Amino acid sequence: DAIRQAANRQDLHVRAAVHVGEVEIVGSDLRGVAVHEAARLMEQAPEDEIIVSETTRALASTSGLGFEDRGSHALKGFPGEWRLFAYRGEVQPQ
C-alpha cells in the first residue's frame, strides 16, 4: 500500500496482486503455477488497486487487514471461477 501511495504522489498508477502458492526457484527466476495465477490476478486489478485471491484473504483473516469482495472472475488458462478481493487497508478495531 505504501508503494501505491508513493506512486500516486508522483502521479503514477500501479496495479498489484497477491496470491499464495508453491513456487520453484531456478537461478534468479520463479516458476510454477502460483506464479502464473498471480499474473492472471494482476490482469484483473484496476488502476491503483491491490487484488488478492480468496486463498490469500482466508490466510489473512486474523491479520486485521480489510478486503472488499470483487466477485467471481474467469482467469485465462485456469478452469472455473476465482473469487477476488480488493485490499482495503487495516481494519480499525471497534
Side-chain angles (χ1 to χ4, degrees):
D1 198 36
I3 293 171
R4 176 177 53 179
Q5 292 172 10
N8 287 170
R9 284 192 296 273
Q10 300 296 316
D11 200 28
L12 298 172
H13 302 279
V14 297
R15 67 184 75 224
V18 180
H19 181 53
V20 203
E22 292 185 31
V23 297
E24 179 183 2
I25 300 171
V26 179
S28 61
D29 291 335
L30 292 178
R31 296 182 184 168
V33 173
V35 174
H36 297 287
E37 291 167 339
R40 296 297 185 244
L41 291 175
M42 192 169 62
E43 291 172 354
Q44 299 296 318
E47 186 177 275
D48 294 324
E49 193 157 87
I50 302 168
I51 291 292
V52 304
S53 64
E54 187 167 19
T55 304
T56 302
R57 185 201 54 82
L59 289 171
S61 65
T62 60
S63 67
L65 301 177
F67 301 94
E68 185 176 305
D69 192 337
R70 286 290 186 242
S72 295
H73 298 263
L75 301 181
K76 182 181 173 185
F78 293 96
E81 294 283 313
W82 287 62
R83 189 148 213 95
L84 304 181
F85 297 83
Y87 169 72
R88 287 293 173 236
E90 292 189 37
V91 176
Q92 300 300 319
Q94 299 188 25

